[in-house]
Amino acid sequence: MFGVDIGGTGIKGAPVDLDKGGLSDERYKVLTPHPATPDAVLDGVHDVVSHFGWSGPLGVTFPGVVADGVTRTAANVDAGWIGLDARKAISDRLGLPVVVLNDADAAGVAEMTFGAGRGHGGTVIVLTLGTGIGSAVFVDGRLLPNTELGHLELHGHDAEKRASVKAREDEDLSWEHWAHRLRKYLAHVEMLFSPDLFVLGGGISRKADKFLPYLHGHGLSARIVPAELQNNAGIVGAAMAAAKL
Ligand code: BGC
């Protein structure tokens, strides 16, 4: 199976081994074009898929709300995506059957199946920290799709503008300073949802040792663990969705 992950900075894809829940070849990445218009992004998806000569069903993640293949929001890509039948557009462009789903939902499903949330009941919230903040909410392993917890308002700001990895980089924040913001954000989400477990994903999960120590023991009751599939979770989740086509 094959998954493509459209992100705010890169469009990444790889064939996926669904028995192991990992990539079966090294992933290939092109930079997300700016502006990230549908046509320009479709070119990138095409490049990634043709790099591998893939010709089967395709799962594609999108960094916004996706309802029945239609992209509904576009916080970190061009507004031309809003209201677009992305499933049809990608399928027409590549001549392949396509499923499109929210990037954090895809990553969350992969983490719940193969990674840090494996076998976990109760309420689990997977957050992807990157250009934005994505969320996937699970109850006893079942996904509530298209939650947008990255856009909760925190101290009068859109939370992802303060606590995403991009905010850390743009504002040149120390790990401690950024972790302090992240903790406030997690505390807010915990107040609203009382999850048993937070799984923190995105590329940053590789550096969990730099910020997890600042999150623990500060009044948060939920357990907090780094994602295990790290930055490949979206690709794996996309391929899992494609397997159902
Ligand atoms: C979008 C979400 C997405 C997240 C991570 C947010 O800005 O609204 O849909 O999951 O970024 O890409």
Side-chain angles (χ1 to χ4, degrees), residues 5-209:
D5 192 15
I6 300 175
T9 52
I11 301 170
K12 304 161 283 196
V16 172
D17 179 338
L18 289 180
D19 292 325
K20 298 201 178 103
L23 309 190
S24 49
D25 199 347
E26 205 173 309
R27 71 179 191 187
Y28 182 71
K29 169 175 167 175
V30 298
L31 290 180
T32 304
H34 288 289
T37 58
D39 277 349
V41 170
L42 256 52
D43 285 348
V45 173
H46 178 267
D47 287 352
V48 170
V49 173
S50 52
H51 174 83
F52 294 93
W54 179 257
S55 60
L58 185 68
V60 180
T61 78
F62 177 77
V65 172
V66 186
D68 198 21
V70 176
T71 44
R72 297 276 182 209
T73 67
N76 294 303
V77 286
D78 186 78
W81 285 93
I82 298 173
L84 180 79
D85 187 340
R87 176 175 53 207
K88 182 170 185 320
I90 301 171
S91 179
D92 286 354
R93 176 72 208 271
L94 300 181
L96 303 175
V98 169
V99 57
V100 186
L101 68 167
N102 172 262
D103 56 356
D105 285 351
V109 167
E111 284 295 334
M112 293 302 286
T113 311
F114 298 110
R118 199 175 42 236
H120 210 288
T123 303
V124 179
I125 301 187
V126 180
L127 295 169
T128 61
L129 308 170
T131 310
I133 294 181
S135 58
V137 176
F138 295 85
V139 179
D140 292 337
R142 185 126 190 260
L143 171 71
L144 171 66
N146 283 316
T147 56
E148 286 287 325
L149 303 187
H151 297 297
L152 285 173
E153 189 181 307
L154 202 57
H155 304 305
H157 296 274
D158 189 23
E160 76 171 19
K161 295 269 179 302
R162 305 270 299 160
S164 65
V165 170
K166 184 169 185 299
R168 190 181 89 80
E169 289 165 0
D170 288 353
E171 297 181 51
D172 205 12
L173 303 177
S174 66
W175 285 105
E176 185 174 3
H177 190 163
W178 178 69
H180 179 73
R181 289 188 184 179
L182 185 59
R183 186 171 57 73
K184 288 208 160 141
Y185 170 65
L186 294 176
H188 191 62
V189 176
E190 180 172 293
M191 185 268 290
L192 293 170
F193 291 91
S194 298
D196 305 293
L197 177 70
F198 281 115
V199 177
L200 302 184
I204 198 88
S205 48
R206 270 193 305 263
K207 298 183 182 145
D209 57 316

